[in-house]
Each structure stands twice: as C-alpha cells, then as structure tokens.
Amino acid sequence: MSDTATSGVKQGFQLKSASVSMTALELYYFDDGEFEEVLRDKISQAPGFFKDIPLIISLEKYQGLDSELDFFKIIGTCRRNHIHVIGVRGGTDDQRRLARGAALALLPGNGQRDRAHEAEQAAAEEAETAVVAAPTGAAGDPPPAKIISQPVRSGQQVHAPEGDLVILAPVQAGAEVLAAGNIHVYGPLRGRALAGIHGAESARVFCQSLEAELVSIAGHYKISEDLQDNGWKSAVQIQLRDDLLVVTPLDKA
C-alpha cells in the first residue's frame, strides 16, 4: 500500500490521456516579416477560430536553411496574435535541438511515429481482431452519435469527442459544433462546424442549408467567403478530397 493511501492524504493531481484538437502549421520556409503578414491575413479570415488556439509547427516539408529558423521569433509572432505554439513535429536533429532550446514539446513526424510504434501497432491489430470477433452490441460497436434536438445558439459549443454529432435544429451564427466523426445538421448551418477533429479525413459535414462561418474537416478548413462559391444556402455534404474541401449538393451526392 502506498504512503499516500496509508496517510489518507489525497494526491494533488492525476495524469490521464487526453485527446485534444490542435492545428498544425506546415512550415515550408521562414521569413519573419512575411510570416506575420500571412498569419494576420489567415486570422482575419476567421478570427474566432484562431483566437487562443494551441499550435504545432510541422517541419516535415520545411525546405529552408537551419540558420533561418528562429523559434523564438515564431513563438513571439504567434503570441502577439493570440496563438500559442506548444510543440514541433518532425524536423532534423538540429531543428529539434533548437526547438527544445525554445522550450517546445517534440512530436515525432509521420515516419518517426511509424518506426517508434511498430510494436504498439502489432498489439493493436491483435486487439482489433478480438474485437471484430465479438458479438453485436459488444465493446466493438462504434460510439453512439450525440443527438441535439435544440438550436445551438450564438456563443454555445457542442462537442462530440468520440463519434458523430447529429443536430435536429439550426446552428446559429457564432455557435460552434465539433465532432470526432461526421456532423449532421438538419437545419441551417450558420456557425462553425469542425468534423474529424482527431484527424479522421473520412469525416463529412451534412447540412440542410449551408450558411456557415467556417467548416473544417481534419484540420482543413474553408471560411464563409470560400463556401459561397458552391452550394450556398442549399442542402450539401462537405468532404475532404486530396487535402481540399469539396462541397456537393445532396441530390447529387
């Protein structure tokens, strides 16, 4: 028995795994002045979406010289614009050393992640085989959809962290709906809809009338001005194809 249990004193905290939706900034090269100008332009397109978000700098497609990469300038620029850089994904050993010096978390790139987790993937495959063999209604069933029957009003946020989100009413301007899976809105979608928030690129957004401020799937997004080019104020589905959001009328889906 632990000393804590013996003394009857509760621990001040517990460590638990958490799934958090984060935005990645894919950096191709870095020029301080241009970086801030482009960043401000992106933020102006959807200020509510970017305010106070955690950000990962992805270096997997970075082509600049190591000497150009100043993480302190990147962090400072993002902080001035109310974005919080918390880590770096991928990169060379020198780039990751610089990131560590700037007190950023280090995340593996896609190739690094694959190599690091071969054993875990093998174990997961075994577990998946066991789950598939389970009878209907057992633990292998997909998580149930979260169903909302009331309008989602301005300032409200509705979150389905494990499955689909079904809303049987309008989503008003200024509201935000998020789901790990698909989002279905049986009414006008006027606020922000973020599907596939944990990276599921197969997720889709369905709505009876597209009037959204922003739609995002697996981190790829379009704002209102872009969405008005196709299917505006009509029943559509939105899906991700080749890293681009595609809007299709429901009667042609």
Side-chain angles (χ1 to χ4, degrees):
M1 185 177 295
S2 68
D3 293 338
T4 301
T6 303
S7 63
V9 178
K10 292 184 178 179
Q11 293 180 344
F13 66 89
Q14 291 185 359
L15 295 175
K16 294 185 175 181
S17 62
S19 296
V20 180
S21 176
M22 284 187 291
T23 298
L25 186 153
E26 280 193 343
L27 194 64
Y28 307 129
Y29 66 91
F30 178 67
D31 176 271
D32 192 21
E34 179 183 338
F35 180 84
E36 182 154 19
E37 181 181 349
V38 174
L39 183 65
R40 287 179 174 175
D41 180 63
K42 295 289 186 183
I43 292 172
S44 68
Q45 296 174 10
F49 178 72
F50 290 104
K51 184 175 175 56
D52 293 325
I53 63 168
L55 187 73
I56 296 294
I57 303 295
S58 173
L59 299 177
E60 293 168 303
K61 298 182 180 179
Y62 184 73
Q63 299 175 355
L65 300 174
D66 290 352
S67 59
E68 297 177 1
L69 196 52
D70 188 330
F71 286 109
F72 289 101
K73 285 185 177 180
I74 294 175
I75 293 169
T77 299
C78 290
R79 189 172 295 166
R80 283 196 300 274
N81 291 278
H82 308 290
I83 293 176
H84 307 282
V85 181
I86 64 171
V88 166
R89 184 174 69 192
T92 65
D93 291 341
D94 285 343
Q95 291 165 352
R96 292 170 73 81
R97 176 180 54 79
L98 292 171
R100 187 183 296 109
L104 295 176
L106 302 181
L107 287 75
N110 289 333
Q112 293 168 310
R113 186 181 299 111
D114 291 343
R115 291 191 295 272
H117 292 283
E118 280 186 3
E120 288 83 350
Q121 288 174 344
E125 288 175 2
E126 292 181 6
E128 183 179 356
T129 300
V131 168
V132 170
T136 303
D141 287 350
K146 182 173 185 177
I147 300 176
I148 304 296
S149 58
Q150 300 297 322
V152 184
R153 304 194 181 281
S154 179
Q156 287 185 310
Q157 183 187 79
V158 177
H159 186 202
E162 295 183 352
D164 290 358
L165 177 60
V166 179
I167 301 172
L168 307 176
V171 176
Q172 303 291 5
E176 187 172 74
V177 293
L178 309 91
N182 304 310
I183 294 177
H184 304 256
V185 180
Y186 291 94
L189 170 58
R190 301 190 179 103
R192 297 182 294 273
L194 292 80
I197 57 173
H198 303 320
E201 296 186 351
S202 61
R204 302 187 184 192
V205 175
F206 304 86
C207 63
Q208 292 298 309
S209 180
L210 176 62
E211 306 171 38
E213 298 168 336
L214 178 145
V215 173
S216 170
I217 297 177
H220 301 265
Y221 69 91
K222 279 189 175 184
I223 60 173
S224 175
E225 287 81 355
D226 300 325
L227 293 167
Q228 291 180 30
D229 295 337
N230 185 22
W232 190 247
K233 291 191 176 181
S234 62
V236 300
Q237 68 162 321
I238 305 170
Q239 59 188 308
L240 193 60
R241 293 180 187 165
D242 299 325
D243 292 337
L244 295 174
L245 292 190
V246 177
V247 180
T248 308
L250 283 179
D251 58 0
K252 298 180 181 179

